[in-house]
């Protein structure tokens, strides 16, 4: 599989950081052991998103960490990212697959078993499932139980990531679901020391994933 | 040239129309003689933009009118549109050209001679220049004089469209610039009778363009 054995997945949030502080934090996360990075921007113009994606790509390339772009296939193509992550309000997975081709990594956010099965049928490479806990970074987020997470994991044959309010303290909660990985935002993006936080998270995530 | 002899260019604005009323208006505009349509949406999710672009494409295809998508290359690719229109806050023209290839139509908004020359160097197929008059549909719009429009037209060898507050009453203003076409939003999107308005505009635009 395209993304097997990549248990710790960072989804970015630029919050109120300066460009430099934001990029330094991603560098620290890559150094600390994140296996996959998704750049997620909702407020930027296309030009700004492109420029930021280009800057992030220089960092992830340095650490050989695949970079995915949230929502925007064109930004992913513009910076030659490894692929995209698609929510339920973004382009359908099968449409994205036609545009990006077989080698691109295409992930999908799914909150229910039906959504998960559809994403797999349409050609998704992995699923992000949540929110497991309440989160401050995604507004309007619907919660998903660990039971649903487990049911999805058992129903599909692609990697499943738990997401939503997960951190080093609570990540054991998802262990019963047998997921392949854990995606975090705040646990790294808001950490006092992102390098140490990532290292600690990485150890914990290895313990709770297959 | 890819878009020669296409003098009347409709840029859409969905305003507060229902989906059906919006699509009917585009149908009337195509029937009335618009030569090029740009779908321009700023508030939709990617899924909504895709769905709307798909619906508009059914209409423009019926009339053999090329459809361009504002800003979003991925939406253009998803519906197999003829190309994209890029503003100064969108992806650079040369980046878009690399992604979309030589056959796509790529237009650029330029407000100055420098911007126009850069867009041509980067591979633009046509330029939209304005706003010639104040406009209610583009916020934060900088005005461009007819003199600048003329200077741009004389400096470049691709089609130049005048845009910004133009309608059947004032379109003669741009005649001295010798532009190839006129792009309108409100003159059709807000017309009481979009079919008649387009027919009248088409006649006037033929008179004032090369």
């Amino acid at each position: 599989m395209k993304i097997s054995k990549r248990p710790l997945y960072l989804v970015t949030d630029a919050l109120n950081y300066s460009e430099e502080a934001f990029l330094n934090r991603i560098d620290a996360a890559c150094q600390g052991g994140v296996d996959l990075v998704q750049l997620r921007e909702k407020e930027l113009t296309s030009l700004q998103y492109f420029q930021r994606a280009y800057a992030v790509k220089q960092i992830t390339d340095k650490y050989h960490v695949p970079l995915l772009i949230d929502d925007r296939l064109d930004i992913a193509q513009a910076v030659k990212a490894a692929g995209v992550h698609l929510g339920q309000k973004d382009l359908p997975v099968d449409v994205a697959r036609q545009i990006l081709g077989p080698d691109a990594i295409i992930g999908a956010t799914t909150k229910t078993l039906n959504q998960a099965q559809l994403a797999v049928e349409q050609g998704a490479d992995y699923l992000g499932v949540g929110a497991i806990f309440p989160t401050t970074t995604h507004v309007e987020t619907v919660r998903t139980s660990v039971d649903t997470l487990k049911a999805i994991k058992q129903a599909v044959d692609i990697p499943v990531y738990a997401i939503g309010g997960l951190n080093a303290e609570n990540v054991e909660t998802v262990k019963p679901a047998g997921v392949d990985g854990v995606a975090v935002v705040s646990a790294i993006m808001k950490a006092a020391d992102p390098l140490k936080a990532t290292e600690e998270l990485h150890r914990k995530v290895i313990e709770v994933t297959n």
Side-chain angles (χ1 to χ4, degrees), chain A residues 4-75:
Chain A
S4 62
K5 303 285 177 195
R6 294 196 172 274
L8 182 55
Y9 182 178
L10 170 64
V11 180
T12 68
D13 188 326
L15 298 163
N16 289 317
Y17 296 121
S18 68
E19 186 77 8
E20 189 186 359
F22 174 67
L23 295 175
N24 285 343
R25 201 160 267 266
I26 293 172
D27 194 293
C30 288
Q31 202 185 324
V34 296
D35 302 297
L36 203 55
V37 170
Q38 176 195 142
L39 178 63
R40 183 174 190 275
E41 299 288 349
K42 291 295 182 194
E43 306 297 329
L44 301 183
T45 66
S46 294
L47 180 58
Q48 291 169 329
Y49 204 165
F50 165 62
Q51 290 167 335
R52 178 161 293 177
Y54 187 87
V56 171
K57 180 83 167 14
Q58 307 313 305
I59 298 167
T60 53
D61 277 358
K62 189 171 68 174
Y63 293 98
H64 306 288
V65 173
L67 174 65
L68 306 179
I69 304 294
D70 180 65
D71 180 11
R72 296 287 301 269
L73 280 69
D74 47 358
I75 304 299

Side-chain angles (χ1 to χ4, degrees), chain A residues 92-103:
Chain A
V93 170
D94 52 354
V95 173
R97 178 64 70 197
Q98 279 201 305
I99 295 171
L100 296 180
D103 294 337

Side-chain angles (χ1 to χ4, degrees), chain A residues 108-111 116 127-132 144 148-149 152 160-164:
Chain A
T109 297
T110 62
K111 295 176 179 295
L127 303 178
V129 178
I132 307 303
T144 301
T148 298
L149 182 63
I152 290 173
V160 172
Y161 287 83
I163 189 168

Side-chain angles (χ1 to χ4, degrees), chain A residues 111-113 116 129-130 132 144-156 160-162 173-180 210:
Chain A
K111 295 176 179 295
T112 65
L113 188 55
V129 178
I132 307 303
T144 301
S145 69
V146 174
D147 284 349
T148 298
L149 182 63
K150 186 176 182 176
I152 290 173
K153 170 60 193 166
Q154 291 178 342
V156 304
V160 172
Y161 287 83
T173 313
V174 303
K175 189 163 187 170
V179 292
D180 304 273
N210 285 333

